Amino acid sequence: MSAYRPDRVRDDYTADIQAIRDRHGDDVIVDWIEHYYASDDVDRDDVMEALGIDHVGTFYELVRAYDVDRPEPDQVEEARQLEMMRLLLDGEEVPENLRKPASWSRTIN
């Protein structure tokens, strides 16, 4: 399990972070942080609402306080985005296959 690292929390956020930990527990917090890192469908506001965080600074302190592994970037997707941006900035037409991420295409099991 990902660990809470109190040495990463600045003193002025310690009480707020501890209140969130008391309210939800480490498992729930880690789960939300993992979803935040892994899913484009979960953004900062979703996590803040779910954990009852009022200030964006508290959110970033919370994320920094937990040792949660980030997923490896998708190198194919990053290359697609770079090529698409290069074409756009050069004023060229972007081919259909570069307009949509591979994850948008339907897959059949």
Side-chain angles (χ1 to χ4, degrees):
M1 182 183 142
S2 303
Y4 172 67
R5 304 279 306 274
D7 55 310
R8 293 182 180 176
V9 179
R10 293 185 298 176
D11 292 339
D12 49 335
Y13 287 96
T14 302
D16 292 335
I17 300 294
Q18 189 57 50
I20 295 166
R21 292 182 72 216
D22 291 343
R23 193 168 49 243
H24 297 286
D26 289 336
D27 290 341
V28 172
I29 295 168
V30 167
D31 188 53
W32 274 106
I33 294 172
E34 286 174 346
H35 281 82
Y36 170 70
Y37 286 152
S39 175
D40 291 335
D41 295 332
V42 177
D43 63 13
R44 179 188 69 205
D45 295 335
D46 296 327
V47 177
M48 289 178 65
E49 185 176 329
L51 298 177
I53 299 172
D54 295 331
H55 304 286
V56 72
T58 305
F59 167 78
Y60 287 113
E61 282 294 311
L62 184 73
V63 169
R64 196 171 77 135
Y66 281 86
D67 222 355
V68 176
D69 292 331
R70 292 181 181 211
E72 291 295 318
D74 182 349
Q75 293 179 352
V76 172
E77 174 60 17
E78 287 186 1
R80 181 196 68 79
Q81 290 178 12
L82 285 173
E83 178 62 12
M84 185 176 69
M85 290 305 295
R86 184 192 67 75
L87 291 169
L88 286 170
L89 292 173
D90 288 346
E92 298 178 33
E93 181 157 346
V94 178
E96 182 70 31
N97 66 323
L98 291 179
R99 293 181 193 172
K100 300 177 190 170
S103 63
W104 288 10
S105 64
R106 291 183 58 185
T107 58
I108 299 174
N109 295 338

